[in-house]
Amino acid sequence: MKDRTRVSDRVAQISKSAIHEMTRLSKEVDDVAFLSWAKPTSDTPQHIKDGAIAAIKKGLVGGYSENAGLLKLREEIVRKLKRDNNINANPAQILVTVGAIEGLSAAVMALIDPGDEVILPSPTYSTHIRQVVIASGKPVLVPSIEEEGFIWDIDGVKKAITGKTRAIMYCSPSNPTGTVFDEKQLRQLAEIALENNLTVITDEAYEYFVFDGHKHFSIASIPEMRKNVVSCYTFTKTYAMTGWRIGYLHADEELIPQITKAHIPFAICAPVVSQYAALAALEGPQDCVVDFRDHYFSARNVMCERLDRLDSIFEYHKPGGSYLMFPKILLNEGRDSAAFCKKLLREARVSTTPGIAFGPTGQSHLRLSFCVSDKEIHKAFDRMESYFK
Ligand SMILES: Cc1ncc(COP(=O)(O)O)c(C=O)c1O
């Protein structure tokens, strides 16, 4: 019999991540201009590192914390949720997680039975789709309205609901489109969730990076939604803490022990050293967040100006948030976004992410990250301008 590695059907059906594939291919290209990663390129601010170093020196980080996370950290998170998200919480409604990702995975595991349907917009963050698949749920992708800047198609959501629908999952501001779902749409979504007893799982990773007067709205701030939302947050983007792997979620007090049952086999608790760093982030000055936002705002404008000069190749919506955008490729060869991005990498030495990685309606698009220096943006666009000439 043939010797082959056996894996579960759950895992076998997950395709390779296009983002990681592009990263791998980019390494083979000399002096590549890199617009593929949705990861802050700044280092973690010093006062946050100092908080972690002090905790290490005091011998506080060698053991586990409570599964839900350090009480002091959860108390600070409660203050932050009140101040910035208009959510009235208490520490029993908070679970500190290994980044937003583990919080989202634990929430999906706690809520979704095999065969349950989860509605997501398309395009959306590919990891969300995988999280549903790993839980043996069925992702149901509702195409966003691209002409209006990739907003929710509320009628499309209503039509997608069946007896098996259990949850709606989204990120706002969005990866990959940069769309900020506004309060009006999210209130409509909340009504649908309440009428059909669905749980809304949110990923608010980019909550602080909104521009042009857009406002980040947390659906959990609607009091009637108290029992119908799990909101996931992270320190990764806000404080440039990607590698610390620290985030948290907020949910109803009755749901937290259930999500914790899923959190323990994945993580036991979030890394304790990172919990102290997160505490320093919340207790310390917040100027770094404003600085990051200002930088992304200016980088977005630079990228849009450069895209304007390539208007026969790309058409785009100015992103209202995040540090990502999702231009449409106007050339015929863009219809296969993976082939297009690979060719652009090989022939123009510019690394981007194919739109197909973010759902079927992502085809004919590519994702560009502007969480890079202006120099990197100019390098990439100088190359694309000569390439498409
Ligand atoms: C929408 C979204 N959520 C979550 C993450 C990752 O969050 P964390 O590092 O907190 O797990 C990313 C990273 O790119 C993201 O784009």
Side-chain angles (χ1 to χ4, degrees):
M1 201 177 166
K2 241 186 165 177
D3 188 20
R4 62 188 168 92
T5 309
R6 291 197 55 184
V7 294
S8 68
D9 291 343
R10 268 192 317 276
V11 166
Q13 66 183 304
I14 291 178
S15 52
K16 245 207 248 150
S17 149
I19 302 172
H20 295 140
E21 171 77 347
M22 283 308 284
T23 309
R24 189 183 64 75
L25 292 174
S26 300
K27 285 196 182 128
E28 295 167 7
V29 176
D30 198 29
D31 185 32
V32 66
F34 204 78
L35 304 179
S36 294
W37 262 356
K39 147 176 138 40
T41 39
S42 326
D43 194 10
T44 308
Q46 191 57 43
H47 67 279
I48 299 176
K49 294 191 217 170
D50 290 342
I53 292 166
I56 292 170
K57 286 191 175 152
K58 284 188 205 152
L60 297 175
V61 307
Y64 298 127
S65 68
E66 297 92 309
N67 300 122
L70 297 166
L71 178 59
K72 199 152 186 287
L73 176 57
R74 284 182 287 136
E75 286 169 347
E76 277 304 323
I77 290 169
V78 164
R79 268 191 277 282
K80 175 268 177 189
L81 288 175
K82 175 78 201 149
R83 186 188 67 216
D84 293 348
N85 305 87
N86 197 23
I87 296 173
N88 285 313
N90 67 58
Q93 297 170 342
I94 309 297
L95 178 66
V96 179
T97 56
V98 186
I101 290 300
E102 189 259 328
L104 289 157
S105 291
V108 170
M109 280 294 175
L111 291 166
I112 302 305
D113 275 322
D116 281 353
E117 293 174 5
V118 178
I119 292 178
L120 307 109
S122 171
T124 196
Y125 183 39
S126 44
T127 303
H128 294 167
I129 303 172
R130 298 195 159 117
Q131 284 167 325
V132 174
V133 170
I134 290 245
S136 301
K138 182 175 168 216
V140 175
L141 291 152
V142 174
S144 310
I145 307 178
E146 177 165 2
E147 305 74 57
E148 294 177 43
F150 296 103
I151 61 172
W152 272 108
D153 176 1
I154 295 290
D155 285 333
V157 172
K158 286 183 188 160
K159 283 190 201 127
I161 290 175
T162 71
K164 292 196 156 224
T165 311
R166 177 70 187 86
I168 299 173
M169 190 173 185
Y170 67 81
C171 45
S172 179
S174 158
N175 178 357
T177 63
T179 306
V180 183
F181 297 135
D182 69 11
E183 177 172 346
K184 186 168 164 234
Q185 278 223 311
L186 292 180
R187 285 192 181 274
Q188 290 172 325
L189 214 58
E191 253 174 55
I192 298 173
L194 289 171
E195 267 166 29
N196 296 279
N197 195 21
L198 309 178
T199 303
V200 178
I201 303 170
T202 73
D203 178 344
E204 304 183 34
Y206 299 97
E207 60 182 320
Y208 291 102
F209 305 142
V210 288
F211 323 120
D212 309 331
H214 285 281
K215 289 215 168 20
H216 175 69
F217 181 75
S218 294
I219 202 166
S221 64
I222 302 172
E224 297 77 28
M225 287 292 283
R226 200 167 48 91
K227 288 187 178 292
N228 291 69
V229 187
V230 180
S231 318
C232 300
Y233 301 91
T234 180
F235 291 84
T236 282
K237 317 282 177 192
T238 313
Y239 300 101
M241 290 176 69
T242 309
W244 298 79
R245 311 305 307 125
I246 187 84
Y248 56 95
L249 61 79
H250 167 259
D252 183 59
E253 234 158 289
E254 283 175 28
L255 198 49
I256 289 288
Q258 303 301 329
I259 302 178
T260 306
K261 284 199 261 174
H263 164 68
I264 293 172
F266 285 141
I268 299 184
C269 65
V272 178
V273 66
S274 303
Q275 294 193 50
Y276 280 101
L279 192 58
L282 289 178
E283 286 177 338
Q286 300 299 303
D287 326 20
C288 54
V289 185
V290 178
D291 292 347
F292 291 144
R293 184 177 46 218
D294 289 350
H295 170 66
Y296 300 141
F297 174 64
S298 131
R300 183 210 58 175
N301 293 342
V302 171
M303 188 170 271
C304 290
E305 280 161 22
R306 294 301 308 251
L307 273 166
D308 289 340
R309 284 157 56 175
L310 283 174
D311 61 358
S312 57
I313 315 290
F314 300 115
E315 183 179 272
Y316 70 93
H317 286 277
K318 207 178 233 188
S322 83
Y323 41 60
L324 302 158
M325 57 193 300
F326 205 59
K328 186 173 188 170
I329 310 159
L330 300 174
L331 306 177
N332 268 345
E333 56 182 304
R335 270 189 252 155
D336 179 345
S337 60
F340 182 87
C341 288
K342 279 184 193 161
K343 193 158 173 243
L344 195 63
L345 175 65
R346 263 194 328 270
E347 297 180 5
R349 288 186 298 141
V350 177
S351 177
T352 58
T353 309
I356 189 64
F358 305 94
T361 58
Q363 198 61 289
S364 294
H365 294 74
L366 44 73
R367 189 189 71 175
L368 304 176
S369 306
F370 47 91
C371 54
V372 293
S373 65
D374 288 2
K375 199 171 150 215
E376 193 76 3
I377 296 174
H378 287 303
K379 180 162 130 183
F381 277 86
D382 287 348
R383 287 178 184 180
M384 285 197 277
E385 275 186 18
S386 347
Y387 179 67
F388 290 118
K389 213 163 24 188

